[in-house]
Amino acid sequence: MGIDEKWRVIFDKARHGAANMAIDEAIVEAHSAGLVPPTLRFYTWQPAALSIGYFQKIREEVQLEACRSQGVDVVRRITGGRAVLHDQELTYSAVVREDIPVLPPTLLGSYRYLSQGLLAGLKKQGVAAEMTLPGAAFGQSSRLPRNGACFDAPSFYEITVDRKKLIGSAQVRKNGTLLQHGSILLDFSASQMVSLLLFSSEEERDRCQTLLQAKATSLHHVLGVIPDSTVLAQTIADEFGRTLMLEMVPDRLTDWEMERAAELEKEKFAADVWTYRR
């Protein structure tokens, strides 16, 4: 196998929201500079966090007092998309240069490529999941309000079970490097999600909750039990490598990445000027 077929896999510990987002960006910078190989990282969140997309207007879309009262962190991602509640989930992030031969150059192609690896891991766990094309599962008439949550409907080869979204992903490209990260729902509470968002009326809030319940699912619902996140991460990593013909090498974050992540956390992701920029 050549260097482009060897990936680093990191099974990280639970961290708070700003730290998780800082580490994802630090890996992007390290890989762009040639300091580390392509990387697949798995992590969880402690405490729970609401991440908002790069372009979202936080004061118009997030119920900040509810987040504070429930002990939920709020952090802005460098990727786009809608709000995501990171609580009972396993999160993955994939970082790889855009110019490696096996990675399709288009946005849809790269989503499909990486989703194949995730899908194989879920199937190994007994989950009858599939990739869904944009608009293939749901009509536009049932979409959520613009300030709704990420799990309103599948898009870009995201992974669904029985036409309900199980993994929501977002992607950004920076300095010739792709970052794709996403939430693999172990369990899901539509009522908790909507309690953290702002709506123009109670009717709109109720409609949002109903649609989320109809359009999102979790491994708890699919399997009847909440799987062990450590076992799940290992299974997905193994099948990701097998399916995409990659050598997955267990590793850890480098000292450079940890130092850079600490800087990014302090100066960016934990700073109000970033979180409240829109």
Side-chain angles (χ1 to χ4, degrees):
M1 289 187 176
I3 190 169
D4 287 336
E5 288 82 42
K6 183 177 289 187
W7 282 47
R8 177 180 64 158
V9 58
I10 294 173
F11 302 102
D12 207 353
K13 64 181 182 180
R15 302 178 190 269
H16 60 84
N20 273 329
M21 295 298 90
I23 289 170
D24 273 357
E25 185 163 354
I27 295 172
V28 170
E29 293 184 5
H31 183 53
S32 297
L35 302 177
V36 298
T39 300
L40 180 65
R41 172 180 170 239
F42 295 96
Y43 55 96
T44 54
W45 306 67
Q46 184 61 43
L50 184 77
S51 76
I52 58 172
Y54 179 84
F55 297 101
Q56 284 190 284
K57 297 178 180 179
I58 187 169
R59 291 181 178 87
E60 296 179 14
E61 303 184 41
V62 177
Q63 179 65 265
L64 294 169
E65 183 53 44
C67 292
R68 283 190 286 268
S69 66
Q70 294 184 40
V72 175
D73 281 351
V74 179
V75 64
R76 185 180 294 276
R77 305 188 303 270
I78 61 172
T79 52
R82 294 179 172 185
V84 181
L85 175 61
H86 306 279
D87 189 7
Q88 297 187 76
E89 70 168 60
L90 173 68
T91 308
Y92 79 91
S93 67
V95 175
V96 60
R97 286 191 57 83
E98 295 179 81
D99 58 5
I100 66 168
V102 297
L103 185 71
T106 64
L107 180 68
L108 283 176
S110 59
Y111 264 109
R112 182 177 185 275
Y113 175 77
L114 295 172
S115 292
Q116 285 177 320
L118 301 171
L119 185 64
L122 290 173
K123 288 188 173 180
K124 189 72 171 182
Q125 287 283 108
V127 180
E130 60 184 0
M131 286 187 283
T132 302
L133 281 166
F138 303 105
Q140 293 299 312
S141 62
S142 63
R143 290 188 64 83
L144 293 175
R146 288 180 60 84
N147 62 341
C150 171
F151 280 79
D152 64 338
S155 61
F156 294 138
Y157 289 107
E158 290 186 313
I159 293 174
T160 62
V161 178
D162 295 330
R163 297 168 49 130
K164 295 183 178 183
K165 187 188 292 190
L166 177 65
I167 302 180
S169 300
Q171 188 182 117
V172 69
R173 299 179 184 221
K174 180 179 179 183
N175 299 327
T177 295
L178 175 155
L179 163 67
Q180 180 174 309
H181 52 193
S183 303
I184 306 168
L185 295 185
L186 304 180
D187 208 354
F188 179 68
S189 170
S191 61
Q192 184 184 16
M193 180 72 235
V194 300
S195 75
L196 303 175
L197 302 177
L198 284 171
F199 296 93
S200 60
S201 66
E202 284 303 312
E203 180 181 3
E204 187 180 68
R205 183 184 300 277
D206 291 343
R207 175 172 171 264
C208 180
Q209 181 172 329
T210 299
L211 288 175
L212 277 173
Q213 289 171 336
K215 291 183 174 185
T217 192
S218 68
L219 290 176
H220 186 192
H221 179 80
V222 173
L223 299 174
V225 296
I226 298 177
D228 181 274
S229 60
T230 302
V231 174
L232 179 62
Q234 184 66 66
T235 301
I236 293 176
D238 291 345
E239 294 303 303
F240 189 93
R242 183 189 64 79
T243 301
L244 302 181
M245 293 184 288
L246 307 169
E247 181 183 355
M248 307 301 292
V249 181
D251 205 343
R252 63 174 185 85
L253 295 164
T254 65
D255 291 343
W256 187 95
E257 287 169 310
M258 291 303 299
E259 291 170 5
R260 180 57 180 145
E263 293 173 351
L264 286 166
E265 179 184 339
K266 179 180 179 181
E267 299 169 4
K268 186 173 184 176
F269 293 102
D272 287 352
V273 67
W274 168 260
T275 305
Y276 297 96
R277 64 186 309 231
R278 294 179 184 272

